[in-house]
């Protein structure tokens, strides 16, 4: 019973560890797919409208938008910040981002009656901010306490970006349009060189946004690699634990096996019986583990909220299949060692000892 309990715990742990690692890989992939921006032009001192017009005429440009690109915006009422606050025409968001936003939320960003903001889902889950609530943000020294109406939420792997309609209000004209988003139509490298040669002399910064995304991806990938090493070590410890309990079980069962051999039970017949027993145990424990894992996986996201962070953990068939494969390999290796130990039993030595 103790041996079976240890195996059940190990099976569950392996499934959860694989699930965590699989989530990190999907998180990185989803993060990369969220952005379709090629270049961001910032640090305009003058010639903003003229630059917009000149770039619009370039053949290599497929989309260009005037935007407000504000960094590290802090909440007034609690300690939290938004890494990037973007003021943009709501109908142009799809040109540069891949977010699933409701039509109602996008329409709210077109309202000229009130300042609106679209926030990542994590603010709703962590801080209980709801649609229609008001929040206050420190935008700049000239705008230290600006009130926004929460127009909606969108799913994002890292909740570090929000959208607003500051550009529709003249009192924020000094900050609401301070950058340009540009996408290339064909040759990205040629467009980059053209932008640098034409506008860097005016002290305009040309940011290749993919570099920003790649830097974040590298950071996330490094974290995932560390996590993989830790998880592999833990799985290795579980394998050793099962091996240890297999040895203990073999020591307890050795007398019984020896007596069966003495009574005429052949080692071939014993091996077949042990294989049947192992298949039955494995099937029952794997089924139990998968059902328990599925039930637990739906509660992981609420449990993470308790720690003060939000991660949308979604169950996938890949996690179950990969976890089951690792479990099968671990179980087979430990059982092979157990079978070899049984076959090496010398009945006469054991019976004489007892």
């Amino acid at each position: 019973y103790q041996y079976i309990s240890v195996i059940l715990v190990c099976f569950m742990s392996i499934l959860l560890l694989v699930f965590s690692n699989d989530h990190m890989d999907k998180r990185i992939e989803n993060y990369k797919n969220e952005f379709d921006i090629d270049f961001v032009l910032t640090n305009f001192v003058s010639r903003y409208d003229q630059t917009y017009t000149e770039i619009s005429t370039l053949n290599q440009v497929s989309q260009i938008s005037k935007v407000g690109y504000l960094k590290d915006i802090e909440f007034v009422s609690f300690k939290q910040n938004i890494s990037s606050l973007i003021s943009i025409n709501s109908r142009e968001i799809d040109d540069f981002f891949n977010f699933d936003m409701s039509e109602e939320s996008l329409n709210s960003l077109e309202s000229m009656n009130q300042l609106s903001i679209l926030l990542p889902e994590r603010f709703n889950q962590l801080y209980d901010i709801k649609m229609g609530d008001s929040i206050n943000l420190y935008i700049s020294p000239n705008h230290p306490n600006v009130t926004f109406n929460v127009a909606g939420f969108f799913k994002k792997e890292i909740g570090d970006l929000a959208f607003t309609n500051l550009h529709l209000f003249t009192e924020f004209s000094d900050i609401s349009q301070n950058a340009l988003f540009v996408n290339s139509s064909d040759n990205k490298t040629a467009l980059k060189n053209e932008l640098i040669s034409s506008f860097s002399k005016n002290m305009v910064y040309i940011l290749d946004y993919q570099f920003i995304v790649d830097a974040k991806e590298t950071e996330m990938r490094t974290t995932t690699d560390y996590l993989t090493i830790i998880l592999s070590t833990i799985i290795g410890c579980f394998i050793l634990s099962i091996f240890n309990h297999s040895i203990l079980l073999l020591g307890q069962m050795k007398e019984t096996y020896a007596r069966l051999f003495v009574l005429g039970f052949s080692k071939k017949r014993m091996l077949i019986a042990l294989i049947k027993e192992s298949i039955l145990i494995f099937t029952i424990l794997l089924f139990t583990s998968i059902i328990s894992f599925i039930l637990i996986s739906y509660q992981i996201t609420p449990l993470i909220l308790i720690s003060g962070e939000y991660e949308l953990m979604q169950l996938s068939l890949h996690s179950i299949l990969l976890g089951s494969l690792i479990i099968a390999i671990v179980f087979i290796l430990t059982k092979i060692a157990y079978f070899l130990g049984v076959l090496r039993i010398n009945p006469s030595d054991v019976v004489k000892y007892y």
Side-chain angles (χ1 to χ4, degrees):
Y1 291 144
Q2 184 182 4
Y3 172 71
I4 290 176
S5 298
V6 169
I7 291 181
L8 183 59
V9 171
C10 291
F11 282 9
M12 276 296 300
S13 301
I14 289 173
L15 283 171
L16 289 171
L17 294 174
V18 171
F19 177 47
S20 300
N21 200 60
D22 199 36
H23 168 72
M24 291 298 293
D25 286 335
K26 287 191 295 184
R27 188 171 183 253
I28 294 172
E29 209 51 44
N30 290 340
Y31 178 80
K32 288 175 59 180
N33 294 331
E34 288 174 348
F35 304 96
D36 280 336
I37 308 174
D38 286 336
F39 303 105
V40 179
L41 278 66
T42 64
N43 195 46
F44 284 93
V45 178
S46 61
R47 302 179 74 254
Y48 179 80
D49 291 326
Q50 183 178 347
T51 302
Y52 171 82
T53 303
E54 291 177 8
I55 295 177
S56 301
T57 60
L58 297 177
N59 294 329
Q60 303 99 316
V61 174
S62 59
Q63 289 102 15
I64 180 171
S65 292
K66 295 180 178 180
V67 300
Y69 187 58
L70 309 173
K71 303 291 289 182
D72 298 323
I73 305 302
E74 296 181 352
F75 283 79
V76 174
S77 55
F78 58 94
K79 190 174 179 59
Q80 186 58 255
N81 76 325
I82 300 172
S83 296
S84 299
L85 181 65
I86 298 175
S87 176
I88 186 174
N89 186 320
S90 63
R91 300 305 163 183
E92 296 177 350
I93 292 177
D94 286 344
D95 293 336
F96 304 99
F97 301 94
N98 294 314
F99 296 124
D100 186 15
M101 297 181 178
S102 68
E103 191 66 24
E104 182 183 0
S105 298
L106 293 175
N107 289 336
S108 297
L109 285 185
E110 297 176 359
S111 172
M112 300 183 66
N113 297 322
Q114 60 181 353
L115 286 170
S116 300
I117 189 169
L118 297 182
L119 293 170
E121 184 68 26
R122 70 185 297 270
F123 288 98
N124 170 247
Q125 299 291 336
L126 283 176
Y127 305 105
D128 199 30
I129 298 174
K130 296 181 174 59
M131 191 171 174
D133 288 353
S134 295
I135 61 171
N136 294 76
L137 299 178
Y138 180 93
I139 303 297
S140 70
N142 294 330
H143 310 284
N145 193 348
V146 182
T147 302
F148 291 86
N149 176 68
V150 178
F153 301 93
F154 59 94
K155 291 181 180 179
K156 191 179 186 306
E157 287 301 327
I158 301 177
D160 57 352
L161 182 149
F163 297 98
T164 183
N165 60 348
L166 281 171
H167 61 283
L168 299 178
F169 298 85
T170 55
E171 60 266 36
F172 300 101
S173 59
D174 57 327
I175 57 172
S176 61
Q177 291 188 331
N178 61 358
L180 297 175
F181 283 175
V182 180
N183 281 347
S184 64
S185 57
D186 184 20
N187 193 327
K188 181 179 174 180
T189 303
L191 176 58
K192 182 179 180 179
N193 294 333
E194 176 70 22
L195 293 174
I196 292 174
S197 63
S198 299
F199 305 106
S200 60
K201 59 188 176 184
N202 297 324
M203 303 302 292
V204 175
Y205 293 162
I206 293 92
L207 304 177
D208 189 333
Y209 205 82
Q210 192 57 48
F211 287 167
I212 299 174
V213 175
D214 289 345
K216 193 66 179 180
E217 179 194 353
T218 301
E219 179 184 334
M220 296 168 68
R221 186 73 64 185
T222 301
T223 303
T224 303
D225 291 341
Y226 288 145
L227 179 63
T228 302
I229 294 172
I230 294 172
L231 297 185
S232 301
T233 303
I234 294 174
I235 291 175
C237 291
F238 281 135
I239 295 173
L240 292 176
S241 177
I242 295 177
F243 267 113
N244 180 58
H245 280 77
S246 296
I247 294 171
L248 294 175
L249 179 63
L250 180 61
Q252 292 176 344
M253 294 295 294
K254 184 177 289 187
E255 179 187 359
T256 302
Y257 293 145
R259 288 178 177 177
L260 288 171
F261 289 147
V262 170
L263 293 173
F265 210 81
S266 69
K267 291 191 174 183
K268 179 180 178 181
R269 188 178 175 188
M270 175 66 75
L271 184 61
I272 294 173
L274 289 174
I275 290 174
K276 290 181 179 179
E277 176 196 62
S278 299
I279 292 174
L280 179 61
I281 291 175
F282 176 78
T283 303
I284 294 173
L285 292 182
L286 181 62
F287 177 78
T288 304
S289 299
I290 290 176
I291 296 299
S292 302
F293 166 67
I294 291 173
L295 294 175
I296 292 174
S297 64
Y298 286 110
Q299 302 303 319
I300 291 180
T301 297
L303 289 173
I304 293 176
L305 287 175
I306 298 175
S307 67
E309 196 45 74
Y310 173 71
E311 286 286 343
L312 182 59
M313 305 282 283
Q314 294 181 317
L315 181 64
S316 67
L317 182 61
H318 179 265
S319 299
I320 296 176
L321 294 178
L322 181 58
S324 299
L325 177 62
I326 295 175
I327 285 171
I329 293 172
V330 170
F331 188 81
I332 290 171
L333 289 176
T334 56
K335 278 302 177 181
I336 288 175
Y338 186 84
F339 294 160
L340 291 176
V342 172
L343 295 178
R344 282 199 297 265
I345 293 176
N346 188 336
S348 59
D349 292 342
V350 176
V351 172
K352 286 178 182 178
Y353 178 78
Y354 287 101

